[in-house]
Amino acid sequence: MTELVLSRAGRYPGMAFAAAFLVALVLVAWIMPMPYNPITPNAAVTLLPPSSAHWFGTDTVGFDVFSRTITAAGRDLPLAFGGAFLAALVGVFFGLLATRRGIASTLVMRSLDAFQAFPLLVLAIVVVTLAGNRLSMVVFAIVIIEAPRFMRLVRAEGLTIRELRFIEAAEAMGASPTRILLVHLLPNVSGVVAVQLSIATANALMVVAALSFLGIGVSPPDPSWGAMIQSGARQMTTGQWWIALFPGLAIFCVVVSLNTIADTLDQILARSDR
């Protein structure tokens, strides 16, 4: 699957640009020095509009919005990807397990149905709050929300693949259930998992932003896009639009980039099936 994507990536410059943008954004946040300290405010420059000195303006306490917007990318994006990746691991494992005939599959799916009866975002908020508002709990909250989607997707795809002749041949030759799962099913669901991983990362970023908007997860003065939007939303009515606009644009650009990658991967896999 990796070789297929790399061999055809040159035909899809949009995906290459989107991936380069995401990587560059994180590297700039981690490596490049910011023009102003993102966690130390300057009360002498509060609520300045965008200018050559402060490209994205300043907020109510004197933080440089540009420095905090870029710095937040180095925290929010890894949190989103880490949570989505762990959700994929959990979801693929249980999704493959649920393709087996018998009581195990029934237990997994009934447990999933019961779990999804709860409002998952509300459950994530409760978990993060009760666990001490730690970043590791934000990742766990993402896993709670995204893992069921991977489970259902992998199970549906796996059940379709199990009906193909090569699976019947492998079983007739005495292949063990574990070998069927790891050697025959897992490689054949990796494509849809890759597409879903990109979508899940975009969803996870929205979860991170939502939690920080509510004051959960990333603790001040560390920057987070959701917290910056929450801080700037109160100033929109008085004309200070830039405080919330730029972190909101950052989320928009990242989500569009991730969806572009997902759409392109889906096109590549669809063409490979012809």
Side-chain angles (χ1 to χ4, degrees):
M1 188 265 183
T2 303
E3 293 79 3
L4 174 65
V5 171
L6 292 176
S7 65
R8 298 190 179 184
R11 305 179 193 176
Y12 301 94
M15 183 180 73
F17 178 81
F21 167 73
L22 295 175
V23 172
L25 186 60
V26 174
L27 290 179
V28 167
W30 283 353
I31 298 174
M32 297 295 292
M34 293 296 105
Y36 298 92
N37 192 316
I39 60 174
T40 302
N42 182 356
V45 293
T46 59
L47 296 178
L48 294 180
S51 64
S52 58
H54 297 275
W55 296 345
F56 290 178
T58 61
D59 65 9
T60 54
V61 295
F63 283 121
D64 179 67
V65 176
F66 173 80
S67 298
R68 286 177 66 80
T69 299
I70 300 301
T71 302
R75 184 185 298 269
D76 287 2
L77 280 176
L79 276 176
F81 180 76
F85 183 76
L86 288 177
L89 291 180
V90 173
V92 169
F93 175 79
F94 286 105
L96 288 176
L97 183 63
T99 63
R100 298 180 60 182
R101 303 177 183 89
I103 189 64
S105 175
T106 303
L107 286 175
V108 169
M109 296 313 298
R110 296 296 76 77
S111 299
L112 179 61
D113 292 338
F115 181 73
Q116 289 193 298
F118 295 95
L120 295 183
L121 183 58
V122 175
L123 180 61
I125 293 172
V126 172
V127 168
V128 176
T129 303
L130 295 180
N133 204 24
R134 298 193 302 270
L135 291 181
S136 59
M137 289 297 103
V138 175
V139 174
F140 182 65
I142 294 171
V143 173
I144 289 175
I145 294 173
E146 293 298 324
R149 296 170 183 170
F150 281 99
M151 291 169 64
R152 290 194 178 278
L153 177 68
V154 170
R155 180 177 184 269
E157 190 74 10
L159 288 175
T160 301
I161 295 171
R162 274 192 177 275
E163 300 301 320
L164 300 179
R165 292 291 181 87
F166 76 94
I167 298 293
E168 294 180 6
E171 292 174 340
M173 295 175 64
S176 66
T178 302
R179 180 175 177 82
I180 294 292
L181 293 180
L182 298 180
V183 177
H184 299 289
L185 288 184
L186 181 58
N188 285 286
V189 301
S190 61
V192 294
V193 170
V195 174
Q196 182 61 30
L197 179 60
S198 185
I199 297 172
T201 304
N203 294 337
L205 180 64
M206 300 302 293
V207 172
V208 173
L211 291 176
S212 61
F213 184 90
L214 297 172
I216 303 169
V218 180
S219 301
D222 294 332
S224 178
W225 287 333
M228 294 175 67
I229 293 173
Q230 192 275 339
S231 175
R234 296 191 294 263
Q235 311 302 320
M236 295 288 285
T237 56
T238 56
Q240 288 80 35
W241 48 267
W242 57 87
I243 302 174
L245 175 65
F246 291 110
L249 282 177
I251 294 175
F252 173 79
C253 291
V254 170
V255 170
V256 168
S257 297
L258 290 167
N259 286 333
T260 299
I261 294 173
D263 289 342
T264 306
L265 287 174
D266 191 44
Q267 293 176 31
I268 292 173
L269 294 170
R271 291 191 176 188
S272 70
D273 292 336
R274 295 177 182 175

